[in-house]
Amino acid sequence: MTVLSGPSGVGKSTVVAEIRRSHPRVWLSVSVTTRAPRPGETDGVQYFFVDDAGFDRLVDGGELLEWAEFAGNRYGTPRRPVEERLSRGEPVLLEIDLQGARQVRRSMTEALLVFLAPPSWAELVRRLTGRGTEAPEVIERRLEAARVELAAEKEFDVTLVNTSVRDVCDELLALMAVQ
Ligand code: 5GP
């Protein structure tokens, strides 16, 4: 199992989308979130979108492998599909935030934790501001979270610098030993 984490805006979801396109054999966990869908997002593809009560039920039922609150919304990884793939020996990739990565570190010691780093802080600010889908106060919260997340790089097994999406995908697939 491989966990891809890193600050918001660093390009994790772009990397994941590219792997989904070029390597459909790599199974990507679809998280559950209480965040509203962004334009172009489809329920069951990027996320399963649920309300607060629905998320509470999943937590109470022990159905999440890990979960975290991020910038005012909750995000979690459904446990059963991950465990099914792992029991069949299939590669599993999770794209989650730092708090989630720490939970996986504790509960699944064999997981490989990969940190996706921006080429520079200026580049990260540019990407977070340039997405154009979030209100200024949401961007400010995400920058604050990014500052904390960047300091956590040393907790990870490997760092990949996001200079080009294709290069990062190739490096990640090599780490996962996927051809
Ligand atoms: P976004 O709202 O931009 O899609 O995601 C915000 C943050 O939540 C990102 O850092 C993303 O990696 C993280 N995230 C997405 N799914 C999960 C999950 O299942 N668990 C955790 N802990 N974080 C997640």
Side-chain angles (χ1 to χ4, degrees):
M1 172 149 120
T2 308
V3 174
L4 182 66
S5 195
S8 174
V10 75
K12 297 185 296 287
S13 51
T14 311
V15 168
V16 162
E18 174 59 14
I19 289 183
R20 185 178 276 133
R21 192 193 62 75
S22 65
H23 287 75
R25 170 174 117 62
V26 176
W27 184 75
L28 287 151
S29 165
V30 180
S31 299
V32 179
T33 185
T34 59
R35 162 165 87 57
R38 294 193 185 117
E41 288 183 333
T42 308
D43 189 46
V45 178
Q46 289 82 9
Y47 288 104
F48 294 108
F49 297 96
V50 297
D51 60 13
D52 269 315
F55 202 95
D56 285 342
R57 276 196 295 277
L58 294 171
V59 172
D60 293 344
E63 290 178 49
L64 300 179
L65 189 68
E66 59 74 38
W67 69 271
E69 188 163 335
F70 182 91
N73 293 300
R74 288 183 292 168
Y75 299 80
T77 304
R79 181 189 299 280
R80 204 172 312 132
V82 169
E83 290 180 346
E84 276 169 20
R85 261 79 184 185
L86 290 178
S87 70
R88 295 205 293 265
E90 293 172 13
V92 164
L93 181 58
L94 301 188
E95 185 246 290
I96 59 178
D97 86 324
L98 174 64
Q99 306 161 69
R102 285 181 174 139
Q103 291 173 49
V104 172
R105 168 65 91 212
R106 284 193 296 270
S107 62
M108 306 183 89
T109 45
E110 74 289 2
L112 179 74
L113 268 63
V114 179
F115 188 85
L116 189 62
S120 66
W121 174 253
E123 179 60 20
L124 184 64
V125 173
R126 198 186 64 73
R127 289 188 198 181
L128 271 175
T129 316
R131 187 145 65 187
T133 50
E134 260 88 32
E137 57 274 19
V138 174
I139 291 174
E140 198 36 60
R141 287 174 87 170
R142 282 170 183 250
L143 281 174
E144 196 48 53
R147 272 182 213 109
V148 175
E149 291 195 315
L150 277 178
E153 181 189 337
K154 54 189 178 303
E155 298 171 34
F156 284 72
D157 299 312
V158 188
T159 294
L160 300 179
V161 178
N162 195 6
T163 42
S164 111
V165 174
R166 199 53 255 170
D167 287 352
V168 169
C169 287
D170 289 345
E171 288 161 2
L172 193 57
L173 292 163
L175 287 171
M176 296 177 75
V178 173
Q179 274 81 44

